[in-house]
Amino acid sequence: MTRDVATASPDATLKSVAWSLDYNDVSALPVVDARHHPIGIISEADLLRRQAGLPDAEGRDQMRETAAVDRRIMDARTAGDLMSTPVLTARPDWGIVETARFLNARGVKRLPVIDDTGTLMGIVSRSDLLRPMLRRDDAIHDEIVDEVLGRTLRMTPGGVTVTVQEGVVTLSGTVEEHSTIPIVEHLCLFVDGVVSVDQYLEYAVEDLPPDSARDTDDR
């Protein structure tokens, strides 16, 4: 998420909102109350909708040819008047998958992130969720080898070969115990930028019950 978030107060003028959007190079601002709790979102699209409903500069009444303008939008003077409510929010402990599913299900482009008190901590957008997909394959490879296999699992270097192509991780080689294989696969899946994991690992010691071992081998 982005932690340094530009915000608007409910009484901010629409012109000041437009200036803030342009200055901060963002497409929307959380509207926050005096306790820094998000109470709405105001976006470029909201401002454009209001501009589109203004009278024609040459006096032509275009609205006779279209649906009636929402008076709330037409009469809006402040961020509080024009903002979208209720505001949907995310929690800081949400993972990428959970956040992406929520954004997709609700049809929104961004979510303010709040703590347990409802205070704004940051904002997460679709572009934030896509950023890990841009990670280079060599960076993914190094993290799996150094952090996952080395520091976390303390495996002997060279026991598992890791290749990464377009975010797809392939694991081959031998681990000491059968039970280690699903752990390795699971940890690799949570490395930023990993799209999927294909594993062709063998093991030296069978330490799983027969049924569990069969299930693991079938995957």
Side-chain angles (χ1 to χ4, degrees), residues 13 27 37 58 68 80 99 102 138 151 170 194 197 205:
T13 65
S27 59
H37 292 181
E58 298 181 9
T99 306
F102 189 85
D138 58 346
R151 296 184 184 179
T170 301
V194 171
V197 176
V205 176

Side-chain angles (χ1 to χ4, degrees), residues 91 101 108 134 147 207:
R91 303 306 295 267
R101 286 175 176 170
V108 295
L134 305 177
E147 298 295 331
D207 63 333

